[in-house]
Amino acid sequence: MVMPLFFIASDLKSAQHYQQILLERGVDINLCEVEQLNARFFRQHPELALCADEQGLWLCANGMKMQPDWKAEVPRLKRASLKSEMIARACQLGEAPQLIDATAGLGHDSLLMAHLGAHVTLLERHPILFTLLEDAHNQAKQDPFLSKIVERIQLIFSDSSDYLQACIQHHQQVNVIYLDPMFPQRDQHQNTIKKQAQVKKQMQLLHLLLPEHGEMDLGDSLLPLAQQVAQRVIVKRPRHAVFLNQQTPDHQWLGDACRFDAYFQLSM
Ligand SMILES: C[S@@+](CC[C@H](N)C(=O)[O-])C[C@H]1O[C@@H](n2cnc3c(N)ncnc32)[C@H](O)[C@@H]1O
């Protein structure tokens, strides 16, 4: 994978730092020094790329740029409570569980779960997304509100299938595994592609980055592995989506746009 990384002269050191890290994770970076990184520049360079500035590493495409902005989540975190959040009931966050989030993405769900008490191991296999997450995690350590929360988040660069298989081999168990794989927005009954009225900018860029080899990995194979490692597996799905791995859940929590499907292991 070769990816352009745009930067202005004063951010050369930071750009080289990301180049080195990404190289170690298998991504070739083509460093491109530019005069300015402004809205006009991004409109004129719509191809998928990275950029580095004083706020860290960004993914950019189609005139937009994004990073997993954990600081922007602070107002939402401050409003959240164990009572008000469906995810808290689904994952029993009040019991401060050991939890693996096996599909990290931007880490927003994990940030909320850690805020509400979980000890989270966050797994992400995509090298660029992992590097963006690591940057968000490092920046959060400097923030007075977030620093306490991110003490409870550990990031691991790994394919979750490999990680969960290793857990099975070593008889390692956790309380909860949380899965939120990508979903191609198919209607559950008619199997047609639905128009997304309001896909957030971050998710649009995520979708551009992730289906690298054509077919999107829908994560079906993660469910049976997760069930061998946790007493409780929670799967986040769009409200009308088909069940992960076509497995009927033991319980569901339904929201307006999404739902949580729960799979319980009684015999662990
Ligand atoms: C829909 S996003 C998750 C969004 C996340 N819940 C959040 O709050 O930002 C799915 C993520 O899971 C990752 N993923 C999918 N399958 C994976 C696997 N087998 N191992 C590790 N990461 C995986 C993808 O790379 C993607 O970043």
Side-chain angles (χ1 to χ4, degrees):
M1 188 192 304
V2 182
M3 192 73 146
L5 191 160
F6 300 115
F7 64 99
I8 59 169
S10 57
D11 292 317
L12 172 64
K13 277 222 165 112
S14 146
Q16 286 172 332
H17 162 77
Y18 292 122
Q19 179 185 37
Q20 182 57 34
I21 292 177
L22 284 159
L23 187 63
E24 285 162 17
R25 295 178 181 154
V27 186
D28 270 337
I29 291 292
N30 179 18
L31 285 185
C32 311
E33 186 181 322
V34 298
E35 291 284 311
Q36 290 195 67
L37 280 176
N38 53 16
R40 186 154 175 255
F41 175 87
F42 291 117
R43 276 200 305 278
Q44 288 173 346
H45 294 81
E47 73 279 18
L48 193 63
L50 294 166
C51 75
D53 64 16
E54 69 285 352
Q55 289 167 284
L57 187 67
W58 300 79
L59 183 67
C60 23
N62 294 346
M64 303 179 280
K65 63 174 188 166
M66 77 91 179
Q67 58 184 182
D69 187 356
W70 288 8
K71 280 190 189 154
E73 294 292 301
V74 169
R76 155 142 175 69
L77 295 176
K78 286 185 173 166
R79 284 195 310 271
S81 72
L82 285 172
K83 249 185 160 182
S84 66
E85 297 292 334
M86 208 162 55
I87 197 172
R89 295 196 292 280
C91 296
Q92 290 189 320
L93 299 180
E95 297 185 7
Q98 294 292 336
L99 184 149
I100 294 175
D101 178 345
T103 52
L106 302 172
H108 291 163
D109 289 336
S110 269
L111 190 64
L112 175 63
M113 293 192 284
H115 172 58
L116 294 175
H119 299 266
V120 180
T121 300
L122 198 48
L123 307 178
E124 176 55 56
R125 68 175 168 194
H126 195 287
I128 292 177
L129 210 41
F130 182 81
T131 307
L132 289 164
L133 267 179
E134 191 176 51
D135 221 27
H137 192 255
N138 285 335
Q139 289 186 28
K141 286 180 195 162
Q142 315 303 323
D143 181 274
F145 181 80
L146 293 174
S147 57
K148 285 275 175 292
I149 302 173
V150 298
E151 276 172 14
R152 289 195 292 278
I153 298 181
Q154 181 196 12
L155 300 184
I156 297 183
F157 176 42
S158 170
D159 190 299
S160 296
S161 301
D162 300 339
Y163 187 89
L164 294 176
Q165 266 156 7
C167 289
I168 295 166
Q169 269 176 12
H170 297 106
H171 307 288
Q172 281 168 4
Q173 297 279 312
V174 293
N175 305 118
V176 183
I177 293 183
Y178 179 76
L179 301 173
D180 175 19
M182 300 297 279
F183 189 78
Q185 306 294 320
R186 282 200 190 103
D187 182 287
Q188 186 171 9
H189 304 297
Q190 292 160 17
N191 230 26
T192 52
I193 305 291
K194 270 192 170 177
K195 267 199 186 149
Q196 292 167 272
Q198 231 187 4
V199 181
K200 283 164 86 180
K201 179 166 90 174
Q202 288 177 320
M203 287 313 284
Q204 284 182 36
L205 291 185
L206 208 59
H207 275 264
L208 284 177
L209 182 68
L210 292 177
E212 299 153 8
H213 308 296
E215 269 295 288
M216 195 183 272
D217 177 356
L218 302 181
D220 287 323
S221 61
L222 293 178
L223 181 54
L225 290 172
Q227 287 182 290
Q228 295 174 66
V229 179
Q231 296 123 359
R232 194 178 185 93
V233 180
I234 301 298
V235 181
K236 183 180 182 182
R237 304 248 86 190
R239 183 164 168 137
H240 298 292
V242 291
F243 298 134
L244 189 62
N245 204 33
Q246 297 179 13
Q247 280 180 237
T248 307
D250 299 311
H251 192 73
Q252 286 191 312
W253 287 264
L254 296 176
D256 293 339
C258 78
R259 62 166 208 262
F260 294 99
D261 293 348
Y263 300 85
F264 306 128
Q265 263 47 263
L266 299 175
S267 57
M268 273 181 160

